[in-house]
Amino acid sequence: MLPFISYIGKYQNAHYMKTTYLGHSCILMETKGKSILFDPFISGNPLAGHIDINEIKPDYILISHAHQDHVLDVEAIASNSGAKIISNYEIFSYYNEKGFDGHPLNHGGKANFDFGTVKYVNAIHSSVFPDGSYGGNPGGFVIWNEECSIYFAGDTALSMDMKLIPMLCPALDLAILPIGDNFTMDHREALLAAEFVKCDQILACHFDTFGPIEVNNKEEVINLFEQKGKTLHLPSIGDKIEW
Ligand code: NI
Ligand code: MN
């Protein structure tokens, strides 16, 4: 049961942005009365057994890349909700051929939606669907409207390209960064990423789900960010934060 569903639409005109952490890299963002779901991987996440995907009815699903731990629940949630899929051209086309609606982007491009502007930005990673279909090149998203500006990095290494984000997009209120190492950057590099994108509020993702990305020294990790004047939020699954 996810009680936040009842809030959607209620704050249509308030200056307000909320995130709900649904495990791994799956985050539900609410802004301007719309709900935007990133990288749905819930039913396959052993840590997220208490989250019912049937309760999640976003207006949009944003997909950073085609790996299973980012797309597993896309079809179920999009079927249930009619959510539009926003991703790179190849991922959009993959779902469009299955009858799902949405919008394709490619790196460096942006488009306007009823909840704000979405820009697809570089990530250093790989991207292939579980069935072997080509998933294009992986990316991240910067999303902004008159109320907030956020960066969802997706799975990525630390990259110099992140320095372009503050030059091209409004000042960030929040950066959602992977910290788990092994498949992405670790927390030390995520701290550098936070400096590159000039953001002080960081929501961590892509940690603890599998053995190789477990973060055991959480207090140390949080302190490291604190020493640089940044706040790292290491959410538990289900945590809601208003920004
Ligand atoms: Ni990946
Ligand atoms: Mn991943």
Side-chain angles (χ1 to χ4, degrees), residues 48-67:
H50 56 298
I51 307 287
D52 178 3
I53 62 167
N54 296 311
E55 300 281 337
I56 303 168
K57 300 223 165 67
D59 298 296
Y60 296 89
I61 301 174
L62 272 60
I63 305 167
S64 65
H65 66 295
H67 287 159

Side-chain angles (χ1 to χ4, degrees), residues 24-25 39 65 67 69-70 125 155 183-184 206 210 213:
H24 202 51
S25 289
D39 286 2
H65 66 295
H67 287 159
D69 61 319
H70 298 258
H125 194 66
D155 281 6
F183 298 114
T184 69
H206 217 271
F210 322 111
I213 64 171

Side-chain angles (χ1 to χ4, degrees), residues 1 3 21 26 78 82 93 98-99 111 124 130 135 142 161 168 185 187 218 223 226-228 231 236 241:
M1 180 60 193
Y21 185 60
C26 183
S93 301
K98 291 172 181 261
I124 297 183
V142 184
D161 288 344
L168 302 174
M185 58 188 174
H187 65 274
K218 293 193 168 65
N223 286 340
E226 226 168 67
Q227 284 163 24
K228 295 281 183 181
T231 305
S236 300
I241 306 176

Side-chain angles (χ1 to χ4, degrees), residues 80-232:
N80 262 340
S81 60
K84 292 190 165 57
I85 290 166
I86 301 173
S87 189
N88 67 30
Y89 180 77
E90 291 79 8
I91 292 173
F92 161 78
S93 301
Y94 177 91
Y95 289 111
N96 195 234
E97 279 166 24
K98 291 172 181 261
F100 297 101
D101 193 13
H103 186 96
L105 291 167
N106 216 327
H107 298 80
K110 62 183 184 303
N112 295 320
F113 300 88
D114 56 1
F115 62 89
T117 301
V118 178
K119 186 175 176 70
Y120 195 59
V121 296
N122 293 352
I124 297 183
H125 194 66
S126 55
S127 180
V128 64
F129 280 97
D131 67 5
S133 298
Y134 180 53
N137 288 312
F141 300 97
V142 184
I143 296 156
W144 67 88
N145 55 39
E146 55 278 13
E147 293 173 9
C148 63
S149 177
I150 81 145
Y151 170 44
F152 179 89
D155 281 6
T156 185
L158 178 67
S159 141
M160 293 299 279
D161 288 344
M162 291 171 180
K163 292 191 173 190
L164 291 172
I165 288 174
M167 300 167 75
L168 302 174
C169 304
L172 294 173
D173 301 302
L174 170 65
I176 302 172
L177 303 176
I179 63 157
D181 207 352
N182 197 83
F183 298 114
T184 69
M185 58 188 174
D186 69 3
H187 65 274
R188 287 173 194 282
E189 292 157 2
L191 177 53
L192 276 173
E195 291 178 353
F196 284 6
V197 301
K198 298 187 176 164
C199 189
D200 292 336
Q201 294 289 328
I202 313 303
L203 182 64
C205 69
H206 217 271
F207 66 96
D208 281 1
T209 318
F210 322 111
I213 64 171
E214 261 172 40
V215 173
N216 295 312
N217 50 340
K218 293 193 168 65
E219 251 173 65
E220 239 176 270
V221 170
I222 289 168
N223 286 340
L224 203 71
F225 277 72
E226 226 168 67
Q227 284 163 24
K228 295 281 183 181
K230 304 209 180 281
T231 305
L232 179 75

